[in-house]
Amino acid sequence: MALTFEHVTLGQRVLFGAGQAAENLVAEVARFNAKRVMVIASGAGAQVAADVSSGIQVAVNYADVAAHVPIEKAEKARAAAAGHQIDLLVSIGGGSTTGLAKAVAMTSGLPIVAVPTTYAGSEATNVWGLTEASRKTTGIDDWVLPATVIYDAALTLSLPVDLSVASGLNSMAHCIDSMWAPRSDPINQALAAEGIRALSHGLPRIVEEPQDLGGREQALYGAYLSAVAFASAGSGMHHKICHVLGGTWNMPHAQTHATVLPYVLAFNAPQAPDAAVRIADSFGSDDSVAGLNRLRTAVNAPKALKNYGFAEKNIPEAVELILPVIPASNPRKVTPANLTELLTAAWAGTIPVI
């Protein structure tokens, strides 16, 4: 069968090197000829942000960061950027920090230099998300794509092992969803497969030896690949589920993705055999779900939505909210009954199998 597809590769500068974040940031600020820099970092990440930005002049340090980017937080940050006549945004931290920078860039057109300290992957996508009245809205806008990403595995050394695992499995979800998302194509499938391989090698090394830079570099590399694949392929069933759960019930982003992932894979894999084989191969397994389950056991992955604030009584409402946003291209038809079954299993933490 002849290959026919349309693929878009987003333009972005990537600087990768352990221990080089501060000097790379100096070079990027100079390259942009920026005079008024706004550094966005959470209060918990203030020291890391101070270290990374020690070589540049900072007009304002901004720390009012929250998960899922509440609209009121976005408006406040936008006002701060305008009030300080900012000409460059620097985000240092995880997905929430990057997300807030994106919210500012979306309305201002300001460039972003992203310095991730987790494996979220948001830094390599043109996807934004905002939450208002307990409803999370996502969209695509090239204005929000960071112009530069500075990866430094040394910045992830302080990330606790459990959060490293959850964050890495969030990236794994980008990879797996990219195999059957609405704009999936052979290029982003290849990127996703390599991302799965890198993450499946890196995460166990982090668990076994948290200070192993090699394992953290593999996880960062995999996170970048996952995000590039996701930005091209679009948001599939897994992400639609998690965006609803996170935005409506304010659930922790990474842990929610890490928990839901195996259930979506088990749901879709039988109806997407080519993708399932590719995923299995990337795990070094004969079966995609077994390969993911084996990795999850090795890294003691998050297991049940009930452990992260989601109540069983909320499943009917979740089904009602999720069903309309499931992509029509999903390999398996999603119904109220089978979605209820999936969410019930994810809530309870039963081991998913095909």
Side-chain angles (χ1 to χ4, degrees), residues 200-227:
S200 65
H201 282 75
L203 293 178
R205 289 175 65 178
I206 293 172
V207 172
E208 293 164 8
E209 181 47 68
Q211 298 303 301
D212 174 24
L213 272 178
R216 292 185 178 272
E217 285 183 331
Q218 283 295 301
L220 270 183
Y221 166 60
Y224 171 71
L225 291 173
S226 79

Side-chain angles (χ1 to χ4, degrees), residues 27-218:
E28 286 304 286
V29 170
R31 191 170 72 88
F32 281 101
N33 194 29
K35 306 301 181 186
R36 304 285 299 174
V37 178
M38 179 174 177
V39 172
I40 300 175
S42 69
Q47 186 57 57
V48 170
D51 292 342
V52 172
S53 61
S54 60
I56 65 171
Q57 290 293 318
V58 178
V60 59
N61 285 290
Y62 195 86
D64 193 4
V65 177
H68 306 295
V69 194
I71 187 66
E72 59 272 16
K73 301 284 189 185
E75 295 291 358
K76 184 179 174 184
R78 289 165 176 169
H84 287 86
Q85 299 180 305
I86 298 302
D87 57 7
L88 179 67
L89 303 168
V90 175
S91 64
I92 303 174
S96 298
T97 302
T98 307
L100 185 60
K102 287 181 172 185
V104 176
M106 183 166 56
T107 57
S108 67
L110 290 171
I112 302 171
V113 174
V115 187
T117 61
T118 71
Y119 312 112
S122 174
E123 67 279 354
T125 78
N126 58 352
V127 179
W128 56 266
L130 292 169
T131 302
E132 184 173 11
S134 297
R135 295 292 183 268
K136 186 170 184 177
T137 302
T138 61
I140 296 173
D141 188 333
D142 286 347
W143 279 117
V144 310
L145 177 72
T148 304
V149 184
I150 297 173
Y151 287 110
D152 183 341
L155 300 182
T156 72
L157 288 173
S158 61
L159 187 66
V161 168
D162 60 336
L163 291 181
S164 297
V165 167
S167 182
L169 289 173
N170 178 21
S171 287
M172 183 74 74
H174 294 334
C175 293
I176 290 175
D177 229 17
S178 294
M179 292 292 185
W180 43 57
R183 299 188 305 277
S184 183
D185 66 44
I187 296 175
N188 48 51
Q189 288 174 346
L191 293 169
E194 172 64 3
I196 293 170
R197 186 207 62 77
L199 287 160
S200 65
H201 282 75
L203 293 178
R205 289 175 65 178
I206 293 172
V207 172
E208 293 164 8
E209 181 47 68
Q211 298 303 301
D212 174 24
L213 272 178
R216 292 185 178 272
E217 285 183 331
Q218 283 295 301

Side-chain angles (χ1 to χ4, degrees), residues 67-68 242 245-246 249-258 307-310:
H68 306 295
C242 292
L245 296 179
W249 289 282
N250 195 31
M251 297 178 64
H253 182 84
Q255 292 88 341
T256 301
H257 280 268
N307 296 334
Y308 298 101
F310 185 66

